[in-house]
């Protein structure tokens, strides 16, 4: 393709093109790099389209609509120039194969892969349509297959330049055609679709646009079928082999263009996602009973932005919530102290204490003062926290999916690691490992499915593991069998309690009033939210673990809320108090854990008319301070009365170009903020980890890894160190950066 204005060394804008391009919808797509070595995908629009009336205005509008959008199955916008002689758009590079290439060469995809394809595309389109834009270019050439699922660019150039503009219903028709192509190898007969997809994908292909489902409806349909996810990789091995070859060719072309300063750790296939970088574990692993094993990890040295918080509103006087019966007692009055000055976070790059490279990519981490537990999809290893050296022999307990926004499979308490895991031949275990020697204390089957007469009637999905007060808790969602396993509305949640010393099951409760369970670090009272229809008021209630899960006090929420979906709740515990998001999502309410009596509440106000984006609160280890992420601000409040202590503010832009926000303010799930004795650790939307002095709110240091996976790095805190897993590498940093 002729590139008007391109230099002899094949540059488009600030990007050097790598290798030959491929044609999609009349545009050319190239792998390219910046002068600093970062990879992008550059789409260059053909000359004829660029001269069409109104083209550049439509492209410019499409670029503006795409800025700031990011989701799991979207490649976000990096840069664009609608006014260049050959207009171009740059998105984040994804190491992948076009769907057409995979199907033409290796044949139609099987049912599990088709479901991942349909679900991923629907979720990507739901984000675009929710932001008021469309893609307009979903087809077998533009859909890319990665190890983690399908990808499409956040901006379909053909859709951005088309006149008239395509509609969301057009995107759904294209999605249906793409899935049908993947199922049939190019045929048009919907009988090629598996039974689980035939009805809904056939609906996407209805001639009348108004009869087609929306992207959100398609996501809900697939989710409520409750069918199991594919085991292992979702793509055939032949396709993944082609993917590895393509990644290697890009790496070769990149290297041929001249030297690039390497990041601290570079795994094979630079820029590819985490699962692309998994290499085979050498040797065998022993059964889950201890003994010598090959190490899975060994010691080789080596959002949608919701607006900024606008500061604190008035700290309200204590009130007694309706429905709560408890003895009258005076409550601490609100403080009249002024709002402290905001501290803009800025600090030096972190100094690494040590770094180790292993043979498998960690799926989750847990740490004590002395030992780090590193879990992969093949084995579990133990490292010395002080040096990164091997602490104990590895075990074959594994967890391939690890921690994500809706799941956390590890816990640590009182010298014991706990893990939701599998072993060869055994599925659905809860295991306990001694932190002093790495030996298995006990392992029990969770009986993921409960028999009812001659057939299975319920399936217990495991989402959250916690340990406190001599008890281990497994929480999740119940799927009922009605011809298929489905999650019914309202959602039924459950809590299972096990003895921490023996693994013996103590009790179990379930119900639509048990969802998003919070297990405090101490005490015997848990907190649960009710499952409610979307945008309706709900309630929280105390669950008394000392009485085998008996329900306690209840507090209604005064306003409809969108927070009560599956995942971690917007709740916390500190010094005998439960904290939760109330009001219209802009108010932190603090109640006595024993009685439900409100002690105080704090409302957060928005700046410049922006929506308040309040995240999950969390507390210091001693419980004296509560930290609330609100958009770009992290607010420290005294637990006793809500007195503001400091406000730390992020500066600059996030990864996708919008305002930089604390990750803990962007969603329910994951551990995006944790504390050591005197340091607060929090990640932001620019994929940076900050270490913040708990006394002053000022940054001690910051950490960012340019080679981290698309999903970012995994991390945990143990003692006075933070441990970070990025691709195949685990890095330790001291809390004070020394």
């Amino acid at each position: 393709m002729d590139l008007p204005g391109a230099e002899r060394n094949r540059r488009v804008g600030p990007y050097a093109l790598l290798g030959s391009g491929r044609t999609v919808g009349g545009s050319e797509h190239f792998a390219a790099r910046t002068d600093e070595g970062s990879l992008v995908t550059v789409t260059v629009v053909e000359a004829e389209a660029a001269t069409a009336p109104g083209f550049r205005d439509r492209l410019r509008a499409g670029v503006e609509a795409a800025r700031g959008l990011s989701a799991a199955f979207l490649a976000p916008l990096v840069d664009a120039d609608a006014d260049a002689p050959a207009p171009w758009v740059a998105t984040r590079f994804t190491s992948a194969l076009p769907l057409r290439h995979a199907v033409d060469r290796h044949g139609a995809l099987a049912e599990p892969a088709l479901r991942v394809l349909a679900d991923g595309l629907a979720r990507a389109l739901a984000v675009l349509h929710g932001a008021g834009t469309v893609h307009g270019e979903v087809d077998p050439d533009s859909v890319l297959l990665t190890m983690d699922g399908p990808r499409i660019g956040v901006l379909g150039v053909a859709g951005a330049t088309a006149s008239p503009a395509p509609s969301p219903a057009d995107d759904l028709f294209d999605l249906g055609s793409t899935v049908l192509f993947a199922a049939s190898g190019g045929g048009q007969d919907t009988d090629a679709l598996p039974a689980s997809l035939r009805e809904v994908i056939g609906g996407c292909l209805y001639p009348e646009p108004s009869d087609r489902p929306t992207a959100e409806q398609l996501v809900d349909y697939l989710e409520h079928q409750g069918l199991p996810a594919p085991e292992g990789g979702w793509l055939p091995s032949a396709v993944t082999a082609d993917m590895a070859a393509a990644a290697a060719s890009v790496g070769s072309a990149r290297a041929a263009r001249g030297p690039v300063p390497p990041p601290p750790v570079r795994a094979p296939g630079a820029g590819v996602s985490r699962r692309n970088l998994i290499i085979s574990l050498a040797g065998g692993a022993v059964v889950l009973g201890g003994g010598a094993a090959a190490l899975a990890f060994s010691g080789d040295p080596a959002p949608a932005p919701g607006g900024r918080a606008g500061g604190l509103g008035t700290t309200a006087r204590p009130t007694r919530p309706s429905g709560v019966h408890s003895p009258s007692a005076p409550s601490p009055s609100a403080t009249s102290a002024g709002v402290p000055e905001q501290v803009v976070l800025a600090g030096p790059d972190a100094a690494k204490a040590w770094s180790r490279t292993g043979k498998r990519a960690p799926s989750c981490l847990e740490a004590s003062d002395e030992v780090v537990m590193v879990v992969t999809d093949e084995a579990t290893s133990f490292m010395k926290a002080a040096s990164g050296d091997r602490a104990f022999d590895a075990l074959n307990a594994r967890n391939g999916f690890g921690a994500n926004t809706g799941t956390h499979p590890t816990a640590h308490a009182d010298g014991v690691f706990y893990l939701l895991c599998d072993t060869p031949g055994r599925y659905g275990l809860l295991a306990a490992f001694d932190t002093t020697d790495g030996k298995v204390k006990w392992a029990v089957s969770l009986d993921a499915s409960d028999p009812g007469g001659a057939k299975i009637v319920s399936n217990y999905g495991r989402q959250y593991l916690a340990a406190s007060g001599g008890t281990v808790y497994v929480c999740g969602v119940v799927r009922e069998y009605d011809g298929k396993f489905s999650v019914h509305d309202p959602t039924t949640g459950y809590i299972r309690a096990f003895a921490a010393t023996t693994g013996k099951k103590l009790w179990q409760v379930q119900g639509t009033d048990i969802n998003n369970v919070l297990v405090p670090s101490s005490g015997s009272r848990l907190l649960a939210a009710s499952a409610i229809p979307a945008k309706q008021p709900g309630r929280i209630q105390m669950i008394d673990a000392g009485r085998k899960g008996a329900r306690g006090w209840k507090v209604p929420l005064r306003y409809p809320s969108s927070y009560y979906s599956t995942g971690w709740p917007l709740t916390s515990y500190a010094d005998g108090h439960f904290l939760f998001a109330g009001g219209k999502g802009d108010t932190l309410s603090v109640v006595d854990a024993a009685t439900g009596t409100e002690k105080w509440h704090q409302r957060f106000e928005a700046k410049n008319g922006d929506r308040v984006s309040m995240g999950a609160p969390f507390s210091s280890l001693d419980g004296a301070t509560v930290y609330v992420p609100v958009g770009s601000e992290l607010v420290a409040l005294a637990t006793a009365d809500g007195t503001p202590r400091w406000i730390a503010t992020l500066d600059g832009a996030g990864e996708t170009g919008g305002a930089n926000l604390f990750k803990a303010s962007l969603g329910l799930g994951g551990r995006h903020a944790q504390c050591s004795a005197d340091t607060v650790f929090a990640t932001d939307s620019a994929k940076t980890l900050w270490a913040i002095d708990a006394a002053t709110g000022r940054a001690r240091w910051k950490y960012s890894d340019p080679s981290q996976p698309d999903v970012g790095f995994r991390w945990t805190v143990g003692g006075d160190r933070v441990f970070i897993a990025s691709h195949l590498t685990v890095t330790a940093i001291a809390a004070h950066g020394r």
Side-chain angles (χ1 to χ4, degrees), residues 580-600:
F580 60 93
K584 297 181 179 180
D586 59 358
T587 302
L588 177 69
S589 295
V590 181
V591 301
D592 185 279
T595 66
T597 303
E598 185 176 89
K599 309 295 288 186
W600 54 270

Side-chain angles (χ1 to χ4, degrees), residues 219-593:
V219 171
D220 289 342
Y221 180 94
L222 296 175
E223 189 172 74
H224 282 75
Q225 283 185 318
L227 296 179
E231 296 184 4
W234 73 288
L235 293 170
S237 58
V239 175
T240 59
D242 273 7
M243 205 173 293
S249 67
V250 171
S252 298
R254 181 187 188 190
R257 293 285 170 179
V260 178
V265 178
R266 178 68 66 190
V272 294
S273 58
R274 174 177 64 88
R275 291 190 177 272
N276 294 42
L277 301 176
I278 296 177
I279 21 185
S280 297
L281 175 68
V286 298
V287 296
L288 183 62
L295 283 180
F297 210 91
S298 57
D300 296 328
R308 291 178 178 269
L312 303 171
T314 303
T315 303
R317 298 181 65 83
T319 60
R320 185 184 306 280
S322 59
V324 178
H325 303 284
S326 58
S328 299
S331 300
S333 60
T335 177
S336 59
V339 177
E341 180 182 359
Q342 295 186 355
V343 177
V344 177
L345 289 178
D349 291 335
K352 299 178 183 178
W354 53 259
S355 189
R356 297 289 184 268
T357 300
K359 298 178 180 179
R360 310 292 290 194
S363 60
C364 47
L365 302 174
E366 193 68 52
S368 68
D369 291 359
E370 304 294 332
V371 179
V372 187
M373 181 175 70
V374 183
V375 185
T376 75
D377 64 344
E378 284 290 339
T380 296
S381 301
F382 303 94
M383 308 170 71
K384 294 180 180 179
S387 65
D389 296 334
R390 185 180 71 174
F392 320 120
D393 286 336
L395 302 173
N396 70 342
R398 64 195 184 195
N399 190 305
F401 294 99
N404 54 47
T405 55
T407 305
H408 202 86
T410 64
H412 168 256
D414 302 322
V416 181
F417 290 130
Y418 301 95
L419 175 65
L420 297 173
C421 61
D422 307 320
T423 62
R426 298 188 69 187
Y427 172 79
L429 299 177
L430 170 61
F433 311 122
D434 196 311
T435 62
T436 61
D437 57 16
K439 295 186 181 301
V440 180
K441 291 175 64 68
W442 49 261
V444 297
S445 172
L446 292 177
D447 295 327
S449 299
D450 286 350
K455 65 178 182 179
I456 295 172
V457 295
S458 299
N459 173 274
Y460 290 80
R462 301 176 301 279
Q463 295 171 320
Y464 173 64
L465 176 64
S468 175
T471 304
V472 184
Y473 301 93
V474 179
C475 308
V477 172
V478 181
R479 297 178 175 89
E480 301 296 338
Y481 185 78
D482 48 9
K484 57 184 181 294
F485 281 117
S486 303
V487 178
H488 296 292
D489 191 12
T491 303
T492 297
Y494 74 89
I495 306 171
R496 285 180 171 177
F498 300 83
T501 54
T502 64
K504 178 183 177 181
K505 184 177 176 181
L506 301 177
W507 52 267
Q508 174 176 328
V509 292
Q510 67 184 58
T512 58
D513 59 343
I514 296 179
N515 286 270
N516 301 336
V517 178
L518 171 69
V519 178
S521 57
S522 61
S524 62
R525 300 179 180 91
L526 317 182
L527 191 67
S530 59
I532 56 173
K535 299 180 180 179
Q536 292 188 19
R539 71 183 183 193
I540 60 169
Q541 69 175 329
M542 185 263 284
I543 305 294
D544 193 339
R547 298 173 55 208
K548 296 186 176 181
R551 274 70 162 177
W553 52 260
K554 300 176 178 63
V555 174
L557 302 178
R558 300 182 180 89
Y559 297 96
S561 173
S562 60
Y563 291 129
Y564 292 90
S565 58
T566 299
W568 281 41
L570 292 180
T571 59
S572 184
Y573 174 86
D575 194 27
H577 301 83
F578 283 126
L579 304 91
F580 60 93
K584 297 181 179 180
D586 59 358
T587 302
L588 177 69
S589 295
V590 181
V591 301
D592 185 279

Side-chain angles (χ1 to χ4, degrees), residues 4 33 48 79 112 131 143 178 237-238 304 339 362 373 379 386 391 453 501 519 531 545 609 654 656 705:
R33 69 163 196 180
E48 183 178 351
D79 200 0
V143 171
T178 300
S237 58
V339 177
M373 181 175 70
T501 54
V519 178
T656 57
D705 175 8

